[in-house]
Amino acid sequence: MKDCRKAVIAGNWKMNKTPAETTALINEMKPLVADAKCDVVLCVPFIDIAAAVEAAKDSNIKIGAENVHFKESGAFTGEISAKMLVEAGVEYVVVGHSERRQYFGETDQTVNLRTLAAIKEGLTAIVCVGETLEQRELGYTETLLKYQTKMALTNVAKEDLDKIIIAYEPVWAIGTGVTATADQADEGNGFVREAIAEVYGKEVAETVTIQYGGSMNAKNADELVAKENVDGGLIGGASLKAEDFSIIVKAASK
Ligand code: PGA
């Protein structure tokens, strides 16, 4: 982490927790993260948003969604627009998570469209990029991360970069218990920052928050966020446990 950037710890609950469980978990987390010096975000299933916004009221926890559609409205059964999210009290949204890319046909083009739709309504987009193990072993990590980053940011204006967070999440490290080493995380995040610099210039690239994600937990968070290019994390499994999540928030608050 560098002082010129905002550290952000965001939980990604994935398909976990009912609305009642959401209320209980946020109530448990609130006092544990109250003195955080980083931004604290919980990205929750759509159905949990109302409960999450209510439970997080008067606290430093901000609420995010896990996806957003790219059209403002229309015949898109099952989808949710950015306007709907904003009205519901959402401030952040995860875009292009590898599980969406892998299981739900998300492409670099749709990731870009969703990103544009999110920031147009004033949401902060947490855009996920990351290589598979096969791509890493073939030596394509840098090329792929730069490509995914640039594709996701197509037509995003320089002035809007303050509404963009990129999460580098190596696919092989997500939910597997295998974490990238701190050096691998720093290197991946560095490739993302270089890609942003190549398009927008070095100065603004230095200000963009780039998270690491993939089995980040209470034990390894300290070492990961100590790296220059790691400005916080996108946390899956460990964000479902109040105590573990708060330890990660503390690591990013130093
Ligand atoms: P994990 O998930 O922390 O459970 O590996 C991270 C993510 O998918 O964002």
Side-chain angles (χ1 to χ4, degrees):
M1 278 185 307
K2 256 186 164 179
D3 288 346
C4 59
R5 307 188 269 270
K6 210 183 321 164
V8 181
I9 296 294
N12 173 16
W13 283 8
K14 310 193 179 186
M15 197 174 74
N16 292 291
K17 304 295 171 189
T18 66
E21 290 166 349
T22 296
T23 304
L25 183 53
I26 293 182
N27 282 336
E28 198 186 339
M29 279 180 179
K30 273 195 292 193
L32 301 179
V33 301
D35 52 8
K37 290 193 187 67
C38 60
D39 285 359
V40 182
V41 181
L42 293 173
C43 299
V44 305
F46 292 132
I47 196 75
D48 296 332
I49 286 171
V53 167
E54 177 63 26
K57 206 169 58 187
D58 306 322
S59 83
N60 57 331
I61 299 176
K62 295 177 178 134
I63 301 304
E66 298 177 13
N67 195 12
V68 60
H69 193 61
F70 38 84
K71 294 285 190 187
E72 287 184 7
S73 62
F76 301 102
T77 303
E79 293 296 324
I80 304 281
S81 75
K83 247 198 186 94
M84 294 172 189
L85 294 177
V86 170
E87 196 173 314
V90 165
E91 294 175 68
Y92 292 76
V93 61
V94 177
V95 176
H97 190 278
S98 65
E99 286 150 17
R100 303 252 13 128
R101 294 180 191 253
Q102 199 177 338
Y103 307 132
F104 301 100
E106 198 76 64
T107 66
D108 288 316
Q109 280 78 15
T110 56
V111 170
N112 173 237
L113 292 174
R114 289 179 205 276
T115 302
L116 291 169
I119 62 174
K120 184 164 174 244
E121 292 302 326
L123 293 165
T124 296
I126 303 177
V127 182
C128 304
V129 298
E131 82 288 359
T132 61
L133 188 57
E134 193 187 11
Q135 289 161 337
R136 172 167 282 267
E137 285 172 349
L138 287 168
Y140 292 148
T141 302
E142 177 175 357
T143 311
L144 188 97
L145 290 181
K146 288 189 168 177
Y147 177 79
Q148 285 187 339
T149 302
K150 289 178 185 177
M151 286 293 283
L153 297 181
T154 304
N155 294 326
V156 172
K158 193 173 182 172
E159 310 80 75
D160 285 331
L161 282 181
D162 61 350
K163 293 195 225 92
I164 300 285
I165 293 173
I166 308 278
Y168 166 49
E169 298 207 308
V171 178
W172 46 271
I174 296 176
T176 56
V178 182
T179 318
T181 63
D183 284 337
Q184 284 172 324
D186 195 45
E187 181 185 57
N189 283 26
F191 292 148
V192 171
R193 199 174 305 288
E194 267 171 43
I196 299 172
E198 285 164 16
V199 179
Y200 299 95
K202 201 167 178 341
E203 201 176 324
V204 68
E206 280 296 303
T207 67
V208 177
T209 296
I210 304 177
Q211 299 173 319
Y212 167 78
S215 300
M216 190 159 165
N217 58 40
K219 289 204 178 76
N220 58 30
D222 254 332
E223 199 192 345
L224 287 162
V225 298
K227 288 291 175 183
E228 179 177 325
N229 276 310
V230 179
D231 313 313
L234 184 58
I235 324 295
S239 72
L240 297 168
K241 294 177 205 132
E243 177 84 38
D244 288 22
F245 187 66
S246 73
I247 292 171
I248 300 170
V249 167
K250 282 193 182 78
S253 296
K254 284 176 189 160

